[in-house]
Amino acid sequence: MRELSTLSGHKRINEPSLIFANNKRDIHPLRGLCEHGPFSKSLNYLQDIQVAIISPFKSNFKLINLIGELNKSASPKIAPDYYPEYPGFENLFETKLLTPKSDLTIELPQEANQFAQSGDYKTITKYLLHAISKLVAHKSSISVVFIYLPSSWEKCFTDENFDLHDQLKAKAAPLGIPIQIINDNSIQTKCRANVMWGLSVAIYSKAGGVPWKVEALNEDHAYIGLSYAMKTSKEDGTQYTTCCSQVYDPEGTGFEFIAFDTHEFTQDRQRNPYLTYNEMHAVMSQSLKIYQDNHGGNIPNKITVHKTTPFTDQEIEGCYDAFGQNTEVELLQIVRHPKIKGVRFDNKKAANYPCKRGSYFPISKNECLLWIQGTLEGITKSGKELFKEGGLKPMPKPVLLRRFSGDGGWHETCSSIVGLSKMDWNNNTIYKSMPVTIVYSKLFASVVKNVPDINKRIYDYRFFM
């Protein structure tokens, strides 16, 4: 019989509270919005949100009807124990969602449907980008553009090295126009409350609103997520990598991306790139500048960098020298750990519920297991514990945290990661399975891979939600 090894006891982080209007708190994002209003409500700078719409021939009415739905209440039919009653956009955010007038409504010509159904994605992309360009003259009055992509156009959605969603968002971002893609799921899903919740929070965020902040994050800290996109030069066929850096600060004033083409790197067997000292120093220096530009030139007391691959010695030195001696630096690799599962015991008996979210388990000085996914209390109307992935994954798996730089225990590190898993404003569930630093840096890297000409510019993440 194989012997079982014994590890140190686990600990658990309390579910981080979210901060709403007038500094009110709740752990449930949607309940908090209903009871307190969005965080930025007290700032009183978002009086109304003007929508513009782009749709296929004779389809504008579908988006007009959707805007009408967003302004009405709806009762949840799926997961009613989690979802509150949707109260309508203005009641929820105290901000009006305005239906567009004729100058902000564009229907594509009838022949666009024929190109779409034949799979001519290049022509469809041109039609849509031309429509977006027509709205630039009205940019000062537009908060967000709805673009309807029906299922009948699905042949144009993706192709080798092409993604229509990424193309549209990447081309609209330099114009300063946030877009909201609307598909047939948003129009046809039977549970309208769930659709309204997801769309309303995303629309409010894209228009510049701050739905909530998270209490678990120290306001003097900054968080950076790194991801990479491998590309091949069209000129000479050489490979290079674009490093995508996403900078997040807990104040909600900075949530921005920048991409750098880097030619000095090595690769492991899985072809993951690792930067040289000079390249990492340049990436981190520019990332720090993004933070300083939003904070009057000040430098954070601590910077935590997240990525899914290890940090090499050159990368570590590049980070340290970029940030200087007065800033504490924590470098974390965050990876899924599929070979490890946890079984929860209550009173020395196997429990009826999986491991609790926020449980963490140090396995060495520099390694720790953390359950970002898991059961939660205080969320449902019935008072039952909630495990949102329960229908798909009966047992949550932890992530492995590997620390390459930084001191102290694991509590603060794990608290920040759990908190950052609640900061995706394009999401109406209680949390994501990874922190937003990883989620959005990878998303941005995917966009950059397919649309390479958007690098070396700083973008607000709202343009890529």
Side-chain angles (χ1 to χ4, degrees):
M1 182 176 177
R2 188 170 57 182
E3 293 185 3
L4 299 176
S5 60
T6 301
L7 298 172
S8 60
H10 81 281
K11 297 179 181 180
R12 186 186 175 217
I13 298 158
N14 292 329
E15 183 63 20
S17 291
L18 300 172
I19 308 174
F20 298 92
N22 301 313
N23 214 32
K24 300 294 184 180
R25 285 159 166 75
D26 199 321
I27 62 173
H28 192 310
L30 308 185
R31 185 175 64 201
L33 283 174
C34 286
E35 294 184 0
H36 310 303
F39 176 81
S40 56
K41 181 180 78 171
S42 54
L43 303 179
N44 202 33
Y45 66 87
L46 199 59
Q47 299 297 318
D48 51 51
I49 293 174
Q50 178 62 68
V51 178
I53 60 176
I54 299 172
S55 71
F57 186 67
K58 290 188 176 181
S59 296
N60 270 354
F61 74 94
K62 294 185 178 181
L63 296 183
I64 297 295
N65 290 343
L66 185 63
I67 295 170
E69 275 195 281
L70 283 160
N71 284 317
K72 297 177 182 177
S73 61
S75 299
K77 293 181 172 58
I78 297 175
D81 207 20
Y82 169 76
Y83 285 99
E85 177 92 4
Y86 174 71
F89 197 93
E90 186 174 358
N91 289 333
L92 183 63
F93 297 108
E94 295 191 18
T95 298
K96 293 181 180 180
L97 186 67
L98 303 180
T99 302
K101 296 180 180 179
S102 59
D103 59 339
L104 299 181
T105 62
I106 298 176
E107 281 192 340
L108 301 184
Q110 188 172 6
E111 58 264 27
N113 287 328
Q114 298 171 357
F115 288 112
Q117 290 166 10
S118 67
D120 188 350
Y121 66 85
K122 292 182 180 179
T123 300
I124 285 300
T125 302
K126 290 180 181 178
Y127 272 118
L128 290 167
L129 293 179
H130 180 64
I132 292 172
S133 69
K134 287 183 176 181
L135 295 173
V136 171
H138 306 281
K139 184 173 70 172
S140 61
S141 61
I142 295 173
S143 305
V144 62
V145 177
F146 285 12
I147 301 179
Y148 174 39
L149 301 179
S151 299
S152 60
W153 286 19
E154 64 181 354
K155 289 183 180 179
C156 291
F157 290 172
T158 58
D159 198 78
E160 185 177 0
N161 297 323
F162 174 81
D163 186 293
L164 181 58
H165 180 280
D166 291 349
Q167 283 281 337
L168 296 177
K169 296 207 170 185
K171 296 298 184 180
L175 302 175
I177 300 177
I179 65 174
Q180 176 66 51
I181 302 296
I182 303 295
N183 55 32
D184 282 333
N185 285 336
S186 298
I187 294 172
Q188 298 172 0
T189 296
K190 291 183 179 180
C191 183
R192 304 311 295 160
N194 293 22
V195 174
M196 297 303 109
W197 272 117
L199 283 177
S200 64
V201 175
I203 292 164
Y204 183 77
S205 304
K206 291 178 182 185
V210 179
W212 58 77
K213 289 168 49 177
V214 67
E215 186 180 48
L217 305 181
N218 191 312
E219 294 182 356
D220 294 325
H221 294 183
Y223 301 86
I224 298 174
L226 292 183
S227 194
Y228 303 95
M230 293 299 303
K231 297 182 289 187
T232 302
S233 171
K234 293 181 180 179
E235 286 75 23
D236 56 15
T238 58
Q239 278 202 324
Y240 64 101
T241 185
T242 296
C243 178
C244 299
S245 174
Q246 182 226 352
V247 182
Y248 173 77
D249 80 273
E251 278 294 295
T253 55
F255 209 165
E256 297 177 312
F257 297 107
I258 191 165
F260 304 85
D261 286 344
T262 57
H263 295 269
E264 299 177 13
F265 62 92
T266 58
Q267 290 179 290
D268 61 19
R269 292 181 179 179
Q270 288 75 41
R271 304 194 69 183
N272 295 312
Y274 299 89
L275 304 187
T276 63
Y277 166 86
N278 288 333
E279 296 283 22
M280 181 60 87
H281 185 275
V283 169
M284 290 294 104
S285 296
Q286 187 62 44
S287 300
L288 178 61
K289 184 178 182 301
I290 292 174
Y291 179 92
Q292 290 179 292
D293 287 345
N294 287 315
H295 293 81
N298 292 323
I299 295 176
N301 292 334
K302 180 178 179 179
I303 295 178
T304 297
V305 183
H306 295 160
K307 67 180 184 129
T308 58
T309 54
F311 288 82
T312 65
D313 289 342
Q314 287 197 49
E315 289 179 327
I316 294 170
E317 291 176 11
C319 290
Y320 267 103
D321 288 350
F323 299 141
Q325 297 180 349
N326 296 325
T327 298
E328 182 183 351
V329 179
E330 183 178 49
L331 305 178
L332 282 178
Q333 180 191 10
I334 305 178
V335 292
R336 301 183 190 278
H337 207 276
K339 295 182 179 180
I340 293 181
K341 295 181 180 179
V343 178
R344 172 178 159 188
F345 279 75
D346 291 340
N347 298 320
K348 298 184 179 181
K349 294 182 179 180
N352 294 326
Y353 289 91
C355 292
K356 293 184 177 182
R357 167 171 150 87
S359 299
Y360 67 96
F361 206 152
I363 56 178
S364 73
K365 179 182 177 181
N366 295 315
E367 292 184 325
C368 182
L369 297 173
L370 170 64
W371 275 260
I372 300 177
Q373 298 171 293
T375 56
L376 280 168
E377 300 146 340
I379 296 295
T380 62
K381 300 171 188 175
S382 66
K384 295 180 180 178
E385 291 189 28
L386 172 71
F387 176 41
K388 77 181 185 73
E389 296 90 357
L392 300 174
K393 300 177 181 178
M395 188 173 291
K397 295 179 181 178
V399 296
L400 173 66
L401 309 180
R402 186 173 288 127
R403 184 186 277 157
F404 288 81
S405 171
D407 298 319
W410 285 101
H411 185 84
E412 181 180 312
T413 297
C414 292
S415 293
S416 66
I417 292 172
V418 172
L420 287 167
S421 73
K422 301 182 76 167
M423 284 305 299
D424 183 1
W425 295 327
N426 200 25
N427 176 48
N428 61 6
T429 60
I430 188 69
Y431 60 80
K432 296 296 283 285
S433 62
M434 293 287 273
V436 71
T437 44
I438 297 295
V439 171
Y440 276 95
S441 62
K442 292 184 72 173
L443 182 150
F444 191 48
S446 175
V447 173
V448 168
K449 185 174 183 178
N450 292 323
V451 192
D453 56 346
I454 66 169
N455 61 337
K456 297 182 181 178
R457 291 188 59 174
I458 298 171
Y459 295 98
D460 192 298
Y461 107 112
R462 291 174 171 88
F463 294 116
F464 296 91
M465 286 174 60

